[in-house]
Amino acid sequence: MGEELLLASKWDIGFDLVRYLWIGLFSSLPLWARCTVLALFGTTLVYGFFSWLRNRSSAAPEAEATAPGAEATAPEAEETAPEAAETVLEDETRVR
């Protein structure tokens, strides 16, 4: 169910948006109906922007941690292993 929706044409959304704005701005609807159409359009834009911003900000750390095909190399595996705790004393070698 996590598949994205594929439109028949890239121009379908553009055409629908122009038609929606045309109805809101230049139609013979009463003022309250035109304001409702424009408010819905504006709300959709604001919601879309905040959704994009939320996904953009949350995707950065997640992408690094779970990159597809990225396997832990030997040094990374040692760092994450619980028994690999290192103690570094002043100017001395590392002790495990």
Side-chain angles (χ1 to χ4, degrees):
M1 297 300 292
E3 299 173 8
E4 291 189 31
L5 179 66
L6 180 63
L7 297 175
S9 170
K10 291 181 181 180
W11 295 103
D12 287 345
I13 282 188
F15 178 73
D16 291 339
L17 291 176
V18 169
R19 185 172 52 173
Y20 198 72
L21 281 175
W22 186 267
I23 289 171
L25 295 174
F26 303 114
S27 69
S28 61
L29 291 174
L31 179 62
W32 65 269
R34 284 187 285 159
C35 289
T36 302
V37 168
L38 291 175
L40 287 172
F41 181 75
T43 303
T44 303
L45 286 179
V46 169
Y47 176 76
F49 173 73
F50 282 119
S51 295
W52 171 79
L53 192 62
R54 182 181 62 234
N55 290 337
R56 181 176 173 249
S57 64
S58 68
E62 195 173 289
E64 293 174 4
T66 61
E71 298 176 2
T73 59
E76 291 174 351
E78 290 177 3
E79 291 175 5
T80 58
E83 65 272 2
E86 294 181 350
T87 305
V88 179
L89 304 175
E90 294 178 24
D91 298 328
E92 295 182 10
T93 60
R94 296 178 180 209
V95 179
R96 289 187 186 222

